Amino acid sequence: MMKNLWRIVNPAPIARYIFPEAVWTTTSGKILITFDDAPDSRTTGKVLNLLDDYNWKAVFFCVGESSSKNPGLIREIASAGHRIGNHTYRHKNLIGLAKTERLEEIMKCNAVLSEITGGDIHLFRPPYGRISRKIIREAANYGLRTVMWSLLTYDYKNDLNMFKFAVRKISDGAIVTMHDHVKSEQILPEGLRYLADWMAYKQLKPGLPEECLK
Ligand SMILES: [Zn+2]
């Protein structure tokens, strides 16, 4: 019961209190846009074009397995000036895994992404937002900083009204989570336009990943 409640009010202030080692908001006060579950051959190109329209630089948390199948998309994301983060190899809930499996999920994703991009990976986001102190520490041992979020857009529900409702709660320093995945494909163009308009109305500025995650 409590567990479900914890997820509905995601992320509850208590989560930030329990896991202060994870990043929940930006250091610059600007807005950081993040995309989970990348890459997806049906959406990544579209997402990149949309981000280009608004001149936003985002963090893409990539799944190792789909990255190894679509290395070209990872290179496109990186060469467009976005940051690549680790979202594990197979997108499993790490909480339910034994240590060796858990480490393999993190390590294997890092290996794939490093090989494709030719650089080290420094950012990590666990699937389903399920974290523990242990996971944060283990990720840190691989040089990864755990980046959570302060605003989940519910874009994956594919309901524009729900997305707008979520976005209207945006405030200074928000880390916004969206999905580079077919499940949110339909609402992405209008959703991002709404987000851009709402940010302008609230006088919130998008920030570069490096200035937001100092
Ligand atoms: Zn995910």
Side-chain angles (χ1 to χ4, degrees), residues 184-201:
S184 49
E185 183 181 18
Q186 283 168 14
I187 67 154
L188 276 176
E190 241 185 292
L192 278 176
R193 190 181 320 135
Y194 187 83
L195 176 61
D197 289 348
W198 188 260
M199 279 167 57
Y201 169 66

Side-chain angles (χ1 to χ4, degrees), residues 36-38 61 63 87 91 125-129 179 183:
D36 286 4
D37 304 354
F61 288 97
V63 177
H87 199 41
H91 203 270
R125 179 174 284 166
Y128 313 104
H179 292 80
K183 60 196 169 192

Side-chain angles (χ1 to χ4, degrees), residues 69-183:
K69 288 179 191 149
N70 300 284
L73 292 178
I74 298 297
R75 281 190 286 268
E76 267 181 61
I77 295 169
S79 68
H82 305 291
R83 285 286 292 277
I84 304 279
N86 179 325
H87 199 41
T88 74
Y89 190 72
R90 281 170 302 179
H91 203 270
K92 285 189 168 180
N93 177 2
L94 297 178
I95 299 279
L97 300 183
K99 186 175 180 182
T100 46
E101 276 184 282
R102 212 165 51 223
L103 295 184
E104 194 188 309
E105 281 293 309
I106 298 172
M107 229 165 46
K108 229 172 143 184
C109 182
N110 252 16
V112 166
L113 295 176
S114 299
E115 196 189 327
I116 299 171
T117 60
D120 289 339
I121 304 300
H122 300 290
L123 307 175
F124 170 67
R125 179 174 284 166
Y128 313 104
R130 304 308 303 274
I131 47 169
S132 67
R133 282 237 174 76
K134 224 187 301 178
I135 293 170
I136 295 172
R137 217 172 28 235
E138 287 165 355
N141 288 339
Y142 290 114
L144 295 166
R145 219 151 127 222
T146 299
V147 179
M148 301 300 280
W149 59 81
S150 60
L151 185 84
L152 190 62
T153 60
Y154 295 96
D155 57 333
Y156 53 87
K157 299 273 188 192
N158 214 2
D159 176 339
L160 192 60
N161 284 327
M162 189 184 270
F163 179 90
K164 289 179 176 177
F165 181 80
V167 158
R168 286 197 290 271
K169 291 185 181 150
I170 197 169
S171 58
D172 276 358
I175 297 180
V176 179
T177 291
M178 300 185 64
H179 292 80
D180 173 14
H181 193 272
V182 71
K183 60 196 169 192

